[in-house]
Amino acid sequence: MSFLAATGLAIGSAWALYGVGTALVLAGALGVVLLRNPVHCALSLVTTIFGIALLFVDQHAYFLAAVQIIVYAGAIVILFLFVIMLLGVDRKEARAPENVRLLVPMALVVGAVAVAELLALARLQYWAAGAKSTTQSLSGPGSDIQKLGQTIFTSYLLPFEMTAALLVIAIVAAVALVRRRSQPPPAPPRKSAGALRHPARAPEAPGAAVRPAATAGAGRSAAAATRSPAAAASTPKTSNETREGRAVS
Amino acid sequence: MSGGTYLVAAGCTINDITGKISGLCTAKGSIHISINYPALVPFFVLGGGALVVLLLSAVLPKRPYRGLWAGLTVAAGVGTVVDGLVQWQQLNGSSVTPVTLGDQLFYDHMGAFFAVLFGVATVAGAAISDGYLEREGLDGPEPYVLMLSCSLGAVLMADAAGFVTLFLGLEILSISLYAMSAYHRWRAASGEAGLKYLILGSLASAIFIYGAALIYGATGSLQYLGVVSFLADNALFQNGVLLGGMVLVIVGLGFKVAAVPFHFWSPDVYQGAPTPFVGYMAAVAKAAGFAGLLRVLMLALPTLESTWRPIIWVLATLSVVFGSILALVQVDLKRMLAYSSISQAGYVLIGLQAGTAQGVRAVAFYLFTYTFMVIGTFAIVGVLQGRGEARNDLSAVRGLASRSPWLAGAMLVLMLGQAGIPLTSGFLGKWVVIEAVLGQGQYELALIGMLGAAVAAFFYLRVALIMFLAPESPGAPAGGAVTLSATGGPGAATAGGGPSDGGPESSEPGDSGWAAGAGRAYSGSDLQAIVTAGLSARDRALALRPPPHTRVRVPAATAAVIAVCVVFTVFAGVSTPVLSWAHAIALPWSA
Amino acid sequence: MDQFLPILLMVVLASAFAIGSFIASKMLGPRSHLHAAKVGPYESGIAPRRELAARFPVRFYLVAMIFVIFDIEVVFLYPFAVMFRQLSTFGLVEMASFAAVVFIAFAYLVSEGALDWGPGKRLGSRAGAPVTRSLNATVRRVARPGTPPSARPPVLVEGASTGSGAGARGLDPVRAGASGPHGEEG
């Protein structure tokens, strides 16, 4: 009797961590998709990340579990929360339900097709046939972080250095897109008489000065701004600059 | 030079194929791998160029010299081309494909070929961007840094020997392109294009890496050669995981090349992104995606050929058919070129479907010649559209033959090249592609390709016809907007109102007076009816608007690029050096 | 595996604390019937139809994003630190090149002012403002009362004063209250 209990306990404990991790991942994923308030969705994402970290621990990849929590939950979810804060989508007025009526039926159909494809691939039998070494745990002496260090800095040296390039372009892209330039430079003075037909009017651009770069409306006011001739553009520009200077402090 | 040998201290054991080190190396000698520096020169040149531009922009005052950033980018591109040619020469002796740098990189003819392609695209892209960015008032070194890193990612994708390196190249390429698409901060369409590209592209990258992970799970190796050797030694009786991985990888890379079920991002992104960047993107992203697809399918998964060839057959057919048909109803030039580019991707997929050395040769040749054609075309569109990308529709090219004959001639050659008219490189490209599939007995695919070319010829020739369409209207359009002048001809002195002053975007309904007036005045003309066939009424009116009557300003660098593209299109169509280079790439498969 | 037991214990304790304080506040707190009118801000009795989004400088987001990028760089340093001795010079060179590349991006970042905080940059310095009227600018810059003479903008009027309560002599008569000649524009 105790032997059965012991084996049951052994098998159970081997699967416990995996079960808990999977349950957290799925619960968090469902939460991200189904919850209404975007902040709640971000917190569900943290649950998912924690579940993935548990799965890493189950695979004896302790360093990766820690990195997952530090980088993902500690930095990337913070980024999500910043965006939610920036855009203000967590206010009640912004949380309107989707307008597409067929969305839920379409999602159900696509989901059913995906499950059917998975079952077809599995052929309803064993379908994890593959190389044996990938299903074992890490072999050899040394901890996981040491093995990781060895592999990164020898075999995967090129991907490592290319990651530096990836980080660089992320920085460059971020700075390039967030730069504050409120108004396009004035069009060069035109020789045709048509240039004077449009009165110089202050562009409706000041709102665009403080909104993040990719917003609608900037294109329209830019089109209006480019029509004003060069001479009159300096006055709107200075008033715009003072408005911008006040607004960003 | 054989890669994959490690100089390690005692106590370590290294798996030669996967490169895994097991056991802890405790001796004091350092562990390191042998690095084949000549293979890394394109990376040093492109990456170093990007870093030099960044560093200079950090230390120099703003706007130091006109064209400094573009000049540095062109220099880096030229360096890449030179290195590719040198690499080609050095490799001409050996026939084996060495893998280097810890089994992560190929150092072979295909890598050299694609390095030359990406270097050329970088040079051309930087040259045409310079004039555009100055006209639009967008300064700063960022587009050039992003362009160089995009080329870096592309070279990485073409040289990759494993899925991790391929994924990194894909990500570097994609993120640079997202930022470049959103770069025009005063056009809402640009931000929209960047956002759409980012969201869909990230999804596609996630799908790709999941597929790579499944292939790793099935074969135990992330390197292409490791996958091939595993599949050669073991027959998987239940290969669901492997198939799933292969399909997801095809989906991820198919997104990048805009093959049809995965093409929905392409028209919007091409329409919204700044025009020279679109030309660069169309050349580089497609070539890189196809290089990756080529290596993965032909090098890593040749044993699954009977499975992936039907998949590619379907993708090719859909791309050719839908790309050609949907381009017929577009009035926006950039959108039309996006759909045309989708159909050209279909032709490359036809070449890939062949699965033989001839197919590889066809793919490489088609991509190389397409680079020149598409960059030249977008350069011309970029020059014609005016400040703020005001005029992107067919009316922008109207009467170009009288406004600027050289530009019209260049556009004519490029359009004919893309349509596949004989004596151009496009014709030769389609020829070799169809020849490759005919060699495999795929008669239906060849027929679909030829029919698609016939259909596509219409919208290419439509552009050519509109260029020669006289801008004078038979009668003054009655009523309508005050701003529409009587003839709208090139000599009119009154401002035509909207278009030349950077007026409303062409996607707006515009002044209803124009549309009504234009419809009434032009309804009798047969040529105009033929030329605008297939367009909706509103689009027809847009297409038949009088063109902007300002002189077309072509910056010198852009003119040089257009000239080179046109000359190459004709040159590659009547002579065979490029074809023989493509043939040299395909040698490993001609066993 | 048992080194994770303290973490599990801490998770349990933290959740217990959170849930407990939630329950406690619900039970011990005042039972108020939350009415929309009681909770909303009072502004002249007119209920706002929609809340306006607070203006949020995008600088915060940029700092968070730059943090993520450098966090990833630091994560690569952990395995390097563990394998430092085995990797000796080769590893040092490759890690140094990685760090140098990211450092160049950092230098670019600092030069662009993406990490600058403080009040918004003053576009156009005070010294450059015209002190006399011209066709482009009819505004004349004057000093506030009480500024020391060294900090006053230069005034190109004869007999420039050394400072008084009302500022420089070039002060607008309109501003000083005196009815000056009406040729002066404010």
Coordinates of all heavy atoms in Angstrom, one line a residue, chain B residues 269-302:
Chain B
V269 N 1.3 48.9 -46.3 CA 2.6 49.3 -45.9 C 3.3 50.0 -47.1 O 3.9 51.1 -46.9 CB 3.4 48.1 -45.4 CG1 4.9 48.5 -45.2 CG2 2.9 47.7 -44.1
Y270 N 3.1 49.4 -48.3 CA 3.8 50.1 -49.4 C 3.2 51.4 -49.7 O 3.8 52.4 -50.1 CB 3.6 49.2 -50.7 CG 4.6 48.1 -50.8 CD1 5.0 47.3 -49.7 CD2 5.2 47.8 -52.0 CE1 5.9 46.3 -49.9 CE2 6.1 46.7 -52.2 CZ 6.4 46.0 -51.1 OH 7.3 45.0 -51.2
Q271 N 1.9 51.5 -49.5 CA 1.2 52.8 -49.8 C 1.6 53.9 -48.7 O 1.8 55.0 -49.1 CB -0.3 52.6 -49.7 CG -1.0 53.8 -50.3 CD -2.5 53.6 -50.2 OE1 -3.0 52.6 -49.7 NE2 -3.2 54.5 -50.8
G272 N 1.8 53.5 -47.5 CA 2.0 54.5 -46.4 C 3.4 54.8 -46.2 O 3.8 56.0 -45.9
A273 N 4.3 53.9 -46.4 CA 5.7 54.1 -46.0 C 6.3 55.1 -47.0 O 5.9 55.3 -48.2 CB 6.5 52.8 -46.0
P274 N 7.4 55.8 -46.6 CA 8.1 56.8 -47.5 C 8.6 56.0 -48.8 O 9.2 55.0 -48.7 CB 9.2 57.3 -46.7 CG 8.8 57.1 -45.3 CD 8.0 55.9 -45.3
T275 N 8.4 56.6 -49.9 CA 8.6 55.9 -51.2 C 10.0 55.3 -51.4 O 10.0 54.1 -51.8 CB 8.2 56.8 -52.4 OG1 7.0 57.4 -52.1 CG2 8.1 56.1 -53.6
P276 N 11.1 56.0 -51.2 CA 12.3 55.3 -51.4 C 12.5 54.2 -50.5 O 13.2 53.2 -50.9 CB 13.4 56.4 -51.2 CG 12.7 57.5 -50.4 CD 11.3 57.4 -50.8
F277 N 12.0 54.3 -49.3 CA 12.2 53.1 -48.4 C 11.3 52.0 -48.9 O 11.7 50.8 -48.6 CB 11.7 53.5 -47.0 CG 12.5 54.6 -46.3 CD1 12.0 55.4 -45.3 CD2 13.8 54.9 -46.8 CE1 12.7 56.4 -44.7 CE2 14.5 55.9 -46.3 CZ 14.0 56.7 -45.2
V278 N 10.2 52.2 -49.5 CA 9.4 51.1 -50.0 C 10.2 50.4 -51.1 O 10.2 49.2 -51.2 CB 8.1 51.7 -50.6 CG1 7.3 50.5 -51.2 CG2 7.3 52.3 -49.5
G279 N 10.8 51.2 -52.0 CA 11.6 50.6 -53.0 C 12.7 49.7 -52.4 O 12.9 48.5 -52.8
Y280 N 13.4 50.2 -51.4 CA 14.5 49.5 -50.8 C 13.9 48.2 -50.1 O 14.5 47.1 -50.2 CB 15.1 50.4 -49.8 CG 16.1 49.7 -48.9 CD1 17.4 49.4 -49.3 CD2 15.7 49.4 -47.6 CE1 18.3 48.8 -48.5 CE2 16.6 48.7 -46.8 CZ 17.9 48.4 -47.2 OH 18.8 47.8 -46.4
M281 N 12.8 48.4 -49.4 CA 12.2 47.3 -48.7 C 11.7 46.2 -49.7 O 11.9 45.0 -49.4 CB 11.0 47.9 -47.9 CG 10.1 46.9 -47.3 SD 8.5 47.6 -46.8 CE 9.0 49.2 -46.1
A282 N 11.1 46.6 -50.8 CA 10.6 45.7 -51.7 C 11.7 44.8 -52.3 O 11.6 43.6 -52.5 CB 9.9 46.3 -52.9
A283 N 12.9 45.4 -52.4 CA 14.0 44.6 -53.0 C 14.6 43.7 -51.9 O 14.8 42.5 -52.0 CB 15.1 45.5 -53.5
V284 N 15.0 44.4 -50.7 CA 15.8 43.7 -49.7 C 15.0 42.7 -49.0 O 15.4 41.5 -48.8 CB 16.4 44.7 -48.8 CG1 17.0 44.1 -47.6 CG2 17.5 45.5 -49.5
A285 N 13.8 43.0 -48.5 CA 13.0 42.1 -47.7 C 12.6 40.9 -48.5 O 12.7 39.7 -48.0 CB 11.8 42.8 -47.1
K286 N 12.2 41.1 -49.7 CA 11.9 39.9 -50.6 C 13.1 39.0 -50.8 O 13.0 37.8 -50.6 CB 11.3 40.4 -51.9 CG 9.9 39.9 -52.1 CD 9.4 40.4 -53.4 CE 8.3 41.4 -53.2 NZ 7.2 40.9 -52.4
A287 N 14.2 39.7 -51.2 CA 15.4 38.8 -51.5 C 15.8 38.1 -50.2 O 16.2 36.9 -50.3 CB 16.5 39.7 -52.0
A288 N 15.8 38.8 -49.1 CA 16.2 38.1 -47.8 C 15.3 37.0 -47.5 O 15.7 35.9 -47.1 CB 16.3 39.1 -46.7
G289 N 14.0 37.2 -47.6 CA 13.0 36.2 -47.2 C 13.2 35.0 -48.1 O 13.1 33.8 -47.7
F290 N 13.4 35.3 -49.4 CA 13.6 34.1 -50.3 C 14.9 33.4 -50.1 O 15.0 32.2 -50.3 CB 13.5 34.6 -51.8 CG 12.1 34.6 -52.3 CD1 11.5 35.8 -52.6 CD2 11.3 33.5 -52.3 CE1 10.2 35.8 -53.1 CE2 10.0 33.5 -52.8 CZ 9.4 34.7 -53.1
A291 N 15.9 34.1 -49.8 CA 17.2 33.5 -49.5 C 17.0 32.5 -48.3 O 17.5 31.4 -48.3 CB 18.3 34.5 -49.1
G292 N 16.3 33.0 -47.2 CA 16.1 32.2 -46.1 C 15.2 30.9 -46.5 O 15.6 29.8 -46.1
L293 N 14.2 31.2 -47.2 CA 13.3 30.1 -47.6 C 14.1 29.1 -48.5 O 13.9 27.9 -48.3 CB 12.1 30.7 -48.4 CG 10.8 30.0 -48.5 CD1 10.4 29.7 -47.1 CD2 9.8 30.9 -49.2
L294 N 14.9 29.6 -49.4 CA 15.7 28.7 -50.2 C 16.6 27.8 -49.4 O 16.6 26.6 -49.6 CB 16.5 29.6 -51.1 CG 17.1 29.1 -52.4 CD1 15.9 28.6 -53.3 CD2 17.9 30.1 -53.1
R295 N 17.3 28.4 -48.5 CA 18.2 27.6 -47.7 C 17.4 26.6 -46.8 O 17.8 25.5 -46.7 CB 19.0 28.5 -46.8 CG 20.0 29.4 -47.5 CD 21.4 29.0 -47.0 NE 22.3 30.1 -47.3 CZ 23.5 30.0 -47.9 NH1 23.8 28.8 -48.3 NH2 24.2 31.0 -48.1
V296 N 16.3 27.1 -46.2 CA 15.6 26.1 -45.3 C 15.0 25.0 -46.1 O 15.2 23.8 -45.7 CB 14.5 26.9 -44.6 CG1 13.6 25.9 -43.9 CG2 15.1 27.8 -43.5
L297 N 14.4 25.3 -47.2 CA 13.7 24.2 -47.9 C 14.6 23.3 -48.7 O 14.5 22.1 -48.8 CB 12.6 24.8 -48.8 CG 11.4 25.5 -48.1 CD1 10.5 26.0 -49.1 CD2 10.8 24.5 -47.2
M298 N 15.6 24.0 -49.4 CA 16.5 23.2 -50.3 C 17.6 22.6 -49.5 O 18.2 21.5 -50.0 CB 17.0 24.1 -51.4 CG 15.9 24.7 -52.2 SD 15.2 23.7 -53.5 CE 16.6 23.2 -54.3
L299 N 18.1 23.2 -48.5 CA 19.3 22.7 -47.8 C 18.9 21.9 -46.5 O 19.5 20.9 -46.3 CB 20.1 23.9 -47.3 CG 21.6 23.7 -47.2 CD1 22.1 23.1 -48.4 CD2 22.2 25.0 -46.9
A300 N 17.9 22.3 -45.8 CA 17.6 21.7 -44.5 C 16.5 20.6 -44.7 O 16.6 19.6 -44.0 CB 17.2 22.7 -43.5
L301 N 15.6 20.8 -45.6 CA 14.5 19.9 -45.6 C 14.3 19.3 -47.0 O 13.2 19.2 -47.5 CB 13.2 20.6 -45.2 CG 13.2 21.2 -43.8 CD1 12.0 22.1 -43.7 CD2 13.2 20.2 -42.8
P302 N 15.4 18.9 -47.7 CA 15.1 18.3 -49.0 C 14.4 17.0 -49.0 O 13.8 16.6 -49.9 CB 16.5 18.2 -49.6 CG 17.4 18.1 -48.4 CD 16.8 18.9 -47.3

